[in-house]
Amino acid sequence: MSVSTVAADQSVCAPLAVLGRDVTVPLVTGGEVTYAALDYAASAPALQRVWDDVAAYAPYYGSVHRGAGYLSQLSTDLFENARRTVEEFLDCRAGDQVVFTRSTTDSLNLLAAALPADCQVFVFETEHHASLLPWRDARVTYLNAPRTPGEAVATLEQALAARTVSIEGGYGPALVCVTGASNVTGELWPVRELAAAAHAHGARIVLDAAQLAPHHPVSVQDLDVDWVAFSGHKLYAPFGSGVLAGRSDWLLAAEPYLAGGGASRKVTRRTDGGVDVEWHDSAARHEAGSPNVIGAYSIASACKALTEEGFDNLVAREQHLIRTVRAGLAEVPEVRVLSLFGDDAPRVGVISFVVEGWNSSHFAAALSAEYGIGVRDGLFCAHPLVRTLLGSDPETQGECGAPEAAPGEKSLNAIRVSFGAGTPDEHVERFVRAVRELVRDGARWQYRTEGGRCVPAV
């Protein structure tokens, strides 16, 4: 079956079943409606398959790596097989390591803790805070937001060419951190070209694939990146696990991210009363404590489901949804969609916008209370990027995800709608219709600010 045929056949139903697809929620105007979950960029719902796999394994759960019992051995095999599944999903190189973490944020903080001495880091201001903030103890160069993919590459090349000499002389190690797809605009970044620029100047590169991996295939070898980080909860596996995958040398040379059982191979007392520790020289070095076996297994289950469904089919279906949303928003003159690279830039199912005359928190609250549609409003943990896109003072203070003014007042925030493999057509069609009606007719209910959030007045 061709991609076009699959997209047509699946124009109504989502290609992958997710939990919550039949949940109904009350409306302030009366009655109930099936909930339209359009906040995938924050946390995607669990795939039904992931949930079923976890439920089937749960009775056999046991402690990994340490137990002689059958369940412990079974859990150990399952945990390590999950690591190999992720290696295949990411098309890792021979010798690469897959470390299970808690999230993308945890993964990038782990890498930041493993940087060689005097490492210089280059990061665009457009990054999510998870990839913008972990490098503060290193020598960081923050790069201005580019307006085209070509400008992004040129900006990085110029910055790398102007690298400062390290305290030991020479340029020393360097790392570039870049997102694969923006969590604000959904736009794809030129990762392969940025990796080539980094390597040409002797730097390494880590890819924040939190928003890319659920929507597109990610190949470490094809993109030629040194590390990839992503979260299970955005990959339809919301069980508190994440991944850092890539080159092992910096990770093995660093002290463990967390010290404790599992990370240590041998611990002995010294005659002076202290202890000597021999750390593992594998991924276990940075996986101290009892690992999140169910989280790792759920990620592996999601990787298998996405691979078996086929990213060609998933991408084609998602592009259909993107066209529906963008065409609908374009028909409302009061709506301004936020973009760095322009309307023709390739993107995933993440779209942010503002509505003239509306506080974004008020608008999002009305979508939820009156239409049963869940979106996100705020600065999306990407404050510098959203401020740039809104043309505001970059020094202005703001609180992530919370409005700073009462409904109807000017406030620095935007609305984000996001979707993926579990989204049926009806959800995005209802969203487009709701935007049109709210702009044309206004809200049908009164709203107030409570605890920093806009909520229906009762």
Side-chain angles (χ1 to χ4, degrees), residues 317-362:
R317 175 69 185 358
E318 186 171 309
Q319 292 304 309
H320 157 71
L321 297 180
I322 292 172
R323 288 191 296 270
T324 299
V325 173
R326 288 178 60 84
L329 294 179
E331 294 176 353
V332 184
E334 293 84 355
V335 169
R336 176 165 72 91
V337 174
L338 305 184
S339 175
L340 269 178
F341 300 154
D343 290 343
D344 295 332
R347 65 192 72 234
V348 300
V350 179
I351 299 169
S352 295
F353 62 98
V354 291
V355 183
E356 182 181 348
W358 282 81
N359 171 278
S360 293
S361 178
H362 186 196

Side-chain angles (χ1 to χ4, degrees), residues 214-226:
H215 305 274
H216 279 265
V218 175
S219 167
V220 168
Q221 297 192 66
D222 182 53
L223 295 174
D224 197 21
V225 294
D226 298 282

Side-chain angles (χ1 to χ4, degrees), residues 69-90:
Y70 179 83
L71 298 191
S72 290
Q73 293 183 38
L74 185 149
S75 295
T76 297
D77 288 344
L78 181 146
F79 185 68
E80 294 304 330
N81 284 334
R83 202 187 306 276
R84 286 187 284 274
T85 297
V86 173
E87 288 176 356
E88 295 173 0
F89 182 74
L90 295 175

Side-chain angles (χ1 to χ4, degrees), residues 42-325:
S43 283
L47 290 178
Q48 183 67 54
R49 167 172 170 170
V50 169
W51 185 262
D52 291 343
D53 284 349
V54 168
Y57 161 65
Y60 300 92
Y61 171 81
S63 180
V64 304
H65 296 151
R66 304 176 182 90
Y70 179 83
L71 298 191
S72 290
Q73 293 183 38
L74 185 149
S75 295
T76 297
D77 288 344
L78 181 146
F79 185 68
E80 294 304 330
N81 284 334
R83 202 187 306 276
R84 286 187 284 274
T85 297
V86 173
E87 288 176 356
E88 295 173 0
F89 182 74
L90 295 175
D91 189 27
C92 290
R93 298 165 293 250
D96 281 350
Q97 283 190 345
V98 169
V99 180
F100 286 115
T101 65
R102 293 179 298 173
S103 59
T104 305
T105 301
D106 196 36
S107 296
L108 294 172
N109 275 273
L110 162 57
L111 184 59
L115 293 180
D118 205 34
C119 184
Q120 190 168 2
V121 179
F122 298 84
V123 56
F124 286 93
E125 67 171 352
T126 47
E127 294 291 309
H128 185 281
H129 293 171
S131 48
L132 183 73
L133 301 180
W135 324 104
R136 289 172 298 165
D137 291 336
R139 292 190 297 147
V140 187
T141 298
Y142 294 106
L143 307 176
N144 292 335
R147 287 299 182 169
T148 66
E151 185 181 337
V153 177
T155 297
L156 178 61
E157 288 179 332
Q158 292 168 7
L160 290 169
R163 286 168 64 186
T164 57
V165 176
S166 72
I167 57 177
E168 298 177 354
Y171 290 112
L175 178 71
V176 175
C177 180
V178 67
T179 189
S182 171
N183 78 303
V184 176
T185 68
E187 293 164 319
L188 300 181
W189 277 62
V191 176
R192 187 180 295 104
E193 293 80 0
L194 291 168
H199 294 153
H201 289 274
R204 295 190 180 189
I205 185 168
V206 57
L207 169 64
D208 175 354
Q211 300 295 341
L212 182 64
H215 305 274
H216 279 265
V218 175
S219 167
V220 168
Q221 297 192 66
D222 182 53
L223 295 174
D224 197 21
V225 294
D226 298 282
W227 292 277
V228 171
F230 70 85
S231 296
H233 73 99
K234 298 186 191 298
L235 196 78
Y236 310 99
F239 292 92
S241 193
V243 165
L244 177 67
R247 301 194 183 280
S248 62
D249 53 350
W250 286 9
L251 298 176
L252 295 181
E255 289 290 299
Y257 182 46
L258 297 173
S264 55
R265 184 197 304 274
K266 180 181 179 181
V267 180
T268 57
R269 288 291 301 274
R270 297 195 305 263
T271 56
D272 63 4
V275 295
D276 288 322
V277 183
E278 179 183 337
W279 303 109
H280 276 296
D281 57 0
S282 65
R285 185 185 190 91
H286 297 291
E287 294 176 345
S290 295
N292 182 356
V293 182
I294 287 180
Y297 183 46
S298 69
I299 286 180
S301 174
C303 289
K304 291 177 180 178
L306 293 170
T307 300
E308 291 169 8
E309 178 64 28
F311 272 105
D312 285 347
N313 292 344
L314 294 172
V315 170
R317 175 69 185 358
E318 186 171 309
Q319 292 304 309
H320 157 71
L321 297 180
I322 292 172
R323 288 191 296 270
T324 299
V325 173

